[in-house]
Amino acid sequence: MMFHAQSSSRNHCSLLAVLSRKFVDDKQKQAATDDKPKYPFPEIASSGRLEVHLLSSPSTDEFRRLLESSEPNIVYLQGEKINDSEEIGSLVWGDVDLSTPEALCGLFGSTLPTTVYLEIPNGENFAEALHSRGVPYVIYWKHSFSCYAACHFLQTLLSVVQSSCSHTWDAFQLAHASFRLYCVRNNIVMPSNSQKGSSELGPHLLGDPPKIDIALSEMDVQGEENSPENLPAIKIYDDDVTMRFLVCGVPCTLDTSLLGPLEDGLNALLNIEIRGSKLHNRTSAPPPPLQAGAFSRGVVTMRCDLSTCSSAHISLLVSGSAQTCFNDQLLENHIKNELIENSQLVHALPNNGDNRLPPSEPRKSASIACGASVFEVSMKVSTWASQVLRQLAPDVSYRSLVMLGIASIQGLSVASFEKDDAERLLFFCTRQGKADHTENSVLTRPPSWLTSPAPSRKRSEPCRESKGVESENVCNVRPKLNAAAMRPIPHTRHHKMLPFSGFSEIERYDGDQVKANLPVAPLKHSSAGPTPVTHRKSLSSSYQAQQIISLNPLPLKKHGCGRAPIQVCSEEEFLRDVMQFLILRGHTRLVPQGGLAEFPDAILNAKRLDLFNLYREVVSRGGFHVGNGINWKGQVFSKMRNHTLTNRMTGVGNTLKRHYETYLLEYELAHDDVDGECCLLCHSSAAGDWVNCGICGEWAHFGCDRRQGLGAFKDYAKTDGLEYVCPQCSVTNFKKKSQKTSNGY
């Protein structure tokens, strides 16, 4: 392994880099030329967990002294750049003759590194000699190659090493995937004047793949022999989810030459994270309700909490034999072996019967890849893998994602992406004239999942009678408002102060807003058209998620289920979806072993808790975080099957709140079911004391209602408080009563 040393050396990796003096001089000259696209060659320097020692064309004694004193994990030997060419040549160290494999092996004494990287052409014989000399892993090139391809591969390899404690095998697989993605696809591997074929392009690795020890001890072997059945070691229960990535590059067709390397690179990245993971906690857990009947005798189920190589946290539901699950080290090794050896973690989406996927959507944003052009790619990944990727993206020291060109994951920008990274990656695309593709391609709309929500409320189209208005005065005509269509999301009355959290989504959209807690006034005129309801709902969910601490420390994401909208969803479909969501979030204690027939096991008023109607009534009134604006007893409980006309329960409102927090709060935040409202009096969604009309169900600011004799807001906000009736419903009810009186009834 590259970095398997114990104690403090586990967190550091030492590199001895021997550079060609001529290559350093030519790199400085290339910066002054303007006839070719400039490639920003990176400097080899210590960073993260990588400690670098540099030599330039040393003597044999100088190399040996530094090799013995530093005891590096990696030795990098750079060939000399050929005159007036982009091609890399053989090793040249002044008067030292290194033209034969025997001479190269003579440089190494008793101190051997774990990995040697030979950046020279035709290096297969040299690599075999070093491997037989005792070097576990040797990276070499079979054919000639350009300095740009070599530089990209080296930078990717070193970026992986500095980001995480990785094995040579996995680090090479990720670097090779990035090399195929940017160099092979764009024909930058061979020098520009080379006529050689393209077979077996790129670097190669000489060495054995790592193995994970999953052998049982003698006592465990005897226990397995005495077991009544031949049980499988472990089984991991996890689902696949679709994730969307923005990859730095020019817009292109998503063919196998692009999706294949990206898929392999992400698999290698996740293998690095799992190979260095640690099992921190395991607790007994009930089996999955839908598969409990198929379990054999002797199978136990565990909820396992792990931290990956880069300190990302995941939770897995694992079942297996007792001998495996109650041995921490054996269970950890079996989990690693199952995830790395027996499963593919990332899958490119199918082509849907076509030979090629449809063209991707170009997108530019200052916060994504520093404003460089990107394209969208969708992949199917395991649920735990999606959690790992989302935790790695905000880490400014994690560089492996950048080397794959990934600038955004599910709308979350990769924090370590720098301007030089974008210039290096785009260099390969533009050097062969592929930049012209952006001019010929049809620019489609940005991905909907990355589009910022519009700041204005939905409005109806302007009146048709205004045809005669002159064009210069059209902007001054205020569209006719449709009160039924304006349904912004109500805000909570008290905003939680989050340190250094910046502005909310609405305030980031409006550049003029500078105060964090001031309400955002809707725009008078919007040229973007009506705001889609889904945008307002996604804004509501993201805003609410910032207001609370999640019940589960794992990152909360949208639940990618195929459930029908809550207005037309059946109760059985809803409860089954809630069960699957709770299991996915790790709340298996809330799901009874009997499955759907016993879910939920909470009892209210001598009946099973009616989660379906509880959820529908709460989301139809703005969601849980409306707070006291919902009359839980009068408006919610009365619609549930648990309600009876002779009900004598006290404190039922607080009981419903607790049940909602336990079963449905995270579910609400992961779905777009909240029906947003605006004040029916002032037609604004600004923060305030919200009350809900008990007759029409519309929302209003209590302070906007100027009628006499209403009392105080607290009289309506408390659990058993008064029922609020809006002015329109009050007038309607008064007219009905007057009509009945005049008719003698």
Side-chain angles (χ1 to χ4, degrees):
M1 292 176 62
M2 186 182 294
F3 324 114
H4 64 281
Q6 301 296 325
S7 67
S8 61
S9 62
R10 172 180 172 82
N11 295 323
H12 295 278
C13 174
S14 178
L15 167 70
L16 174 56
V18 183
L19 307 180
S20 166
R21 189 183 305 275
K22 188 174 185 304
F23 185 87
V24 176
D25 296 339
D26 289 346
K27 185 170 65 174
Q28 296 175 354
K29 294 179 181 178
Q30 191 262 353
T33 61
D34 296 326
D35 55 337
K36 296 182 180 179
K38 295 181 180 180
Y39 181 79
F41 287 94
E43 297 293 335
I44 301 177
S46 299
S47 178
R49 39 185 316 279
L50 181 64
E51 180 183 356
V52 176
H53 304 277
L54 291 177
L55 287 176
S56 179
S57 298
S59 64
T60 303
D61 293 336
E62 290 175 344
F63 174 79
R64 288 174 178 170
R65 282 197 301 268
L66 188 55
L67 181 67
E68 295 291 335
S69 61
S70 61
E71 297 184 357
N73 303 100
I74 312 174
V75 172
Y76 163 57
L77 304 178
Q78 184 185 52
E80 186 175 18
K81 188 171 179 290
I82 299 177
N83 292 329
D84 300 327
S85 174
E86 300 172 354
E87 187 175 351
I88 299 295
S90 59
L91 291 175
V92 177
W93 291 4
D95 298 332
V96 180
D97 182 17
L98 298 175
S99 59
T100 63
E102 293 76 13
L104 182 62
C105 292
L107 294 175
F108 297 90
S110 59
T111 302
L112 293 177
T114 305
T115 303
V116 173
Y117 174 28
L118 299 176
E119 196 178 90
I120 57 175
N122 307 315
E124 187 172 6
N125 294 332
F126 294 87
E128 292 176 351
L130 287 174
H131 189 59
S132 60
R133 176 76 168 75
V135 178
Y137 294 95
V138 183
I139 303 173
Y140 66 96
W141 297 72
K142 280 188 176 181
H143 306 290
S144 60
F145 52 93
S146 69
C147 59
Y148 305 115
C151 183
H152 178 75
F153 176 81
L154 175 65
Q155 189 200 12
T156 305
L157 184 69
L158 298 185
S159 296
V160 175
V161 172
Q162 79 178 47
S163 299
S164 53
C165 183
S166 56
H167 191 280
T168 302
W169 185 271
D170 297 324
F172 175 83
Q173 299 302 325
L174 195 154
H176 193 266
S178 178
F179 173 83
R180 289 158 50 203
L181 181 63
Y182 283 98
C183 298
V184 176
R185 283 184 64 245
N186 297 288
N187 299 320
I188 310 293
V189 182
M190 310 296 290
S192 58
N193 57 356
S194 176
Q195 301 296 326
K196 296 181 180 180
S198 59
S199 61
E200 298 183 352
L201 292 177
H204 299 262
L205 176 63
L206 184 61
D208 299 324
K211 298 295 182 182
I212 300 174
D213 184 17
I214 55 174
L216 294 172
S217 63
E218 294 183 1
M219 295 181 60
D220 292 332
V221 170
Q222 294 177 0
E224 289 288 336
E225 292 176 352
N226 297 330
S227 61
E229 299 178 5
N230 186 16
L231 301 175
I234 64 165
K235 183 176 181 181
I236 299 176
Y237 299 93
D238 202 11
D239 297 324
D240 288 340
V241 296
T242 301
M243 294 197 74
R244 297 178 176 90
F245 302 87
L246 290 184
V247 182
C248 183
V250 297
C252 58
T253 303
L254 304 183
D255 53 13
T256 55
S257 66
L258 185 149
L259 296 178
L262 192 59
E263 181 180 301
D264 295 340
L266 287 173
N267 275 303
L269 185 150
L270 293 171
N271 286 343
I272 292 173
E273 294 300 313
I274 289 300
R275 202 181 299 277
S277 63
K278 289 296 181 182
L279 176 65
H280 291 286
N281 184 37
R282 58 173 175 84
T283 57
S284 298
L290 303 180
Q291 303 183 22
F295 273 28
S296 304
R297 185 167 61 89
V299 174
V300 296
T301 309
M302 291 287 180
R303 171 63 61 179
C304 302
D305 298 326
L306 300 94
S307 64
T308 67
C309 179
S310 300
S311 301
H313 297 279
I314 59 175
S315 180
L316 298 174
L317 184 64
V318 180
S319 68
S321 63
Q323 287 81 1
T324 301
C325 291
F326 290 107
N327 185 327
D328 286 351
Q329 187 60 51
L330 187 60
L331 178 60
E332 177 184 307
N333 291 346
H334 270 287
I335 291 175
K336 293 179 181 180
N337 185 73
E338 181 69 19
L339 294 178
I340 295 175
E341 303 294 340
N342 300 333
S343 61
Q344 186 174 3
L345 306 178
V346 182
H347 305 268
L349 292 180
N351 294 354
N352 297 325
D354 196 359
N355 293 330
R356 292 189 174 186
L357 293 178
S360 55
E361 299 176 331
R363 164 77 173 176
K364 287 188 178 181
S365 171
S367 62
I368 305 295
C370 300
S373 63
V374 294
F375 55 89
E376 180 181 342
V377 176
S378 295
M379 294 279 186
K380 271 206 174 293
V381 302
S382 302
T383 302
W384 69 263
S386 68
Q387 296 172 354
V388 170
L389 293 174
R390 288 181 62 86
Q391 293 179 66
L392 294 178
D395 189 352
V396 295
S397 63
Y398 192 80
R399 299 274 301 163
S400 298
L401 288 170
V402 177
M403 293 299 101
L404 292 174
I406 298 177
S408 175
I409 300 175
Q410 205 71 10
L412 185 64
S413 61
V414 176
S416 58
F417 217 109
E418 299 177 355
K419 185 177 180 180
D420 286 346
D421 298 320
E423 292 179 356
R424 274 188 286 268
L425 298 178
L426 292 177
F427 170 84
F428 298 106
C429 304
T430 58
R431 191 165 184 264
Q432 296 295 331
K434 288 196 174 186
D436 297 336
H437 178 82
T438 57
E439 299 176 1
N440 300 327
S441 62
V442 179
L443 297 182
T444 56
R445 295 182 60 186
S448 59
W449 55 276
L450 193 63
T451 305
S452 301
S456 60
R457 300 194 309 272
K458 180 178 179 180
R459 300 185 185 273
S460 60
E461 294 294 330
C463 299
R464 298 293 183 182
E465 290 78 11
S466 58
K467 294 182 179 178
V469 182
E470 296 181 358
S471 58
E472 61 269 21
N473 295 328
V474 170
C475 297
N476 298 325
V477 178
R478 179 170 180 173
K480 184 178 179 180
L481 302 182
N482 185 356
M486 295 188 305
R487 300 169 69 83
I489 292 95
H491 297 270
T492 53
R493 293 184 296 112
H494 301 287
H495 296 273
K496 190 170 184 178
M497 298 297 293
L498 300 177
F500 308 108
S501 61
F503 302 108
S504 65
E505 291 187 30
I506 299 179
E507 293 159 343
R508 288 198 300 269
Y509 189 90
D510 290 333
D512 297 336
Q513 292 287 347
V514 294
K515 295 184 179 180
N517 290 327
L518 288 181
V520 180
L523 294 179
K524 294 294 183 181
H525 307 283
S526 176
S527 59
T531 305
V533 177
T534 55
H535 284 191
R536 296 199 306 273
K537 291 181 178 179
S538 62
L539 171 60
S540 172
S541 298
S542 61
Y543 181 81
Q544 292 172 358
Q546 295 176 3
Q547 302 299 311
I548 66 163
I549 299 175
S550 176
L551 302 178
N552 190 328
L554 297 178
L556 185 62
K557 62 178 182 57
K558 289 297 180 184
H559 186 208
C561 62
R563 194 210 68 196
I566 191 62
Q567 294 82 3
V568 297
C569 177
S570 65
E571 183 173 2
E572 180 181 355
E573 182 184 8
F574 170 80
L575 293 178
R576 191 179 300 276
D577 190 56
V578 173
M579 283 177 52
Q580 294 176 352
F581 178 83
L582 292 175
I583 294 172
L584 180 66
R585 294 288 296 166
H587 301 310
T588 53
R589 61 182 178 83
L590 300 177
V591 181
Q593 295 189 9
L596 187 63
E598 299 178 6
F599 179 79
D601 56 5
I603 303 299
L604 180 64
N605 202 15
K607 297 180 181 179
R608 190 178 303 279
L609 180 63
D610 184 7
L611 283 182
F612 180 56
N613 287 307
L614 172 61
Y615 183 77
R616 288 208 309 177
E617 293 301 319
V618 172
V619 297
S620 67
R621 289 172 168 79
F624 181 82
H625 291 283
V626 173
N628 292 331
I630 299 178
N631 188 330
W632 290 81
K633 180 177 181 180
Q635 297 176 332
V636 177
F637 185 53
S638 61
K639 305 294 192 306
M640 298 170 59
R641 288 195 300 268
N642 303 94
H643 179 264
T644 58
L645 296 178
T646 59
N647 170 57
R648 299 291 184 182
M649 291 189 63
T650 58
V652 65
N654 292 328
T655 303
L656 290 177
K657 286 182 181 180
R658 288 196 300 270
H659 283 315
Y660 196 93
E661 285 182 295
T662 302
Y663 288 97
L664 299 173
L665 180 53
E666 289 186 7
Y667 184 84
E668 174 194 310
L669 296 177
H671 292 76
D672 292 328
D673 296 323
V674 175
D675 191 4
E677 301 284 350
C678 69
C679 176
L680 60 88
L681 300 177
C682 68
H683 306 293
S684 169
S685 61
D689 295 332
W690 289 93
V691 288
N692 184 256
C693 178
I695 297 178
C696 65
E698 295 292 333
W699 287 91
H701 293 129
F702 186 79
C704 295
D705 196 338
R706 303 297 184 180
R707 290 177 294 169
Q708 298 294 327
L710 288 179
F713 173 74
K714 63 181 181 180
D715 297 329
Y716 298 86
K718 60 186 179 181
T719 301
D720 299 324
L722 301 176
E723 182 180 44
Y724 175 79
V725 179
C726 67
Q728 288 87 340
C729 293
S730 297
V731 174
T732 303
N733 287 346
F734 177 79
K735 290 181 179 179
K736 289 182 179 179
K737 291 180 180 179
S738 300
Q739 184 178 3
K740 290 181 180 180
T741 303
S742 62
N743 293 335
Y745 295 100

